Amino acid sequence: MRRTSYFAITAIVGIFCAFSVAFGQTDVADKYLISAKAGAVNHVEGAVSVIRTSGTSGSLLKRDRVEVGDRVTTGSNGRAEVLLNPGSYVRLSGNSSFEFGTTDLEDLQLKLDSGSAIFEVFAADEFRVSITTPKGKVALIDTGIYRVDVASDGTALLSVTKGKAE
């Protein structure tokens, strides 16, 4: 009888612990869920920094979030990949700088001040990406792969591998 009680209590404690782990760590688990909002950092390589709108700055890390107004800058050996919407990304090369104007999935806007970025876009009817450069603006309106290169004088070159842009 004692042995049965011991196993019953052990089983109840085990079940309680399992539920605690599964449901009690929502703060940690929520941070690593795939977000439907733009700005989740998927990959960082080399020197990549961020200046937050709050005035703080530091290194950008995988799983960080880039918010509207945060400036992301890559060093000469830096690379970063940031989520635009589920299935869409911006990939920054070295010596690049960008920030989000909005992270709304219906009207995503970002500003590429310098360097090069590749945009892999999975576009639905309601998803549109606008990119502002120092001397122009482009809208990515179809699913595709796009590259924007901003020269030191602020002029930009758009290359479309697949897709449609205005």
Side-chain angles (χ1 to χ4, degrees), residues 57-92:
S57 63
S59 295
L60 188 69
L61 304 173
K62 182 177 180 179
R63 296 189 179 121
D64 277 352
R65 175 162 290 289
V66 178
E67 300 291 342
V68 172
D70 293 348
R71 175 160 306 282
V72 175
T73 304
T74 58
S76 60
N77 67 339
R79 308 278 184 273
E81 179 181 87
V82 180
L83 179 73
L84 299 178
N85 78 347
S88 299
Y89 305 92
V90 58
R91 294 181 180 101
L92 296 171

Side-chain angles (χ1 to χ4, degrees), residues 52-129:
R52 304 281 181 189
T53 55
S54 64
T56 61
S57 63
S59 295
L60 188 69
L61 304 173
K62 182 177 180 179
R63 296 189 179 121
D64 277 352
R65 175 162 290 289
V66 178
E67 300 291 342
V68 172
D70 293 348
R71 175 160 306 282
V72 175
T73 304
T74 58
S76 60
N77 67 339
R79 308 278 184 273
E81 179 181 87
V82 180
L83 179 73
L84 299 178
N85 78 347
S88 299
Y89 305 92
V90 58
R91 294 181 180 101
L92 296 171
S93 68
N95 297 318
S96 299
S97 179
F98 99 100
E99 68 181 72
F100 282 112
T102 70
T103 54
D104 297 334
L105 295 184
E106 294 80 31
D107 184 29
L108 183 67
Q109 299 174 16
L110 51 79
K111 183 178 178 186
L112 182 64
D113 289 318
S114 62
S116 298
I118 294 176
F119 297 85
E120 186 173 327
V121 176
F122 178 74
D125 291 336
E126 64 279 349
F127 182 66
R128 193 174 185 114
V129 178

Side-chain angles (χ1 to χ4, degrees), residues 2-18:
R2 270 182 131 172
R3 190 173 197 106
T4 305
S5 296
Y6 173 77
F7 286 119
I9 291 171
T10 304
I12 290 170
V13 169
I15 291 170
F16 178 74
C17 288

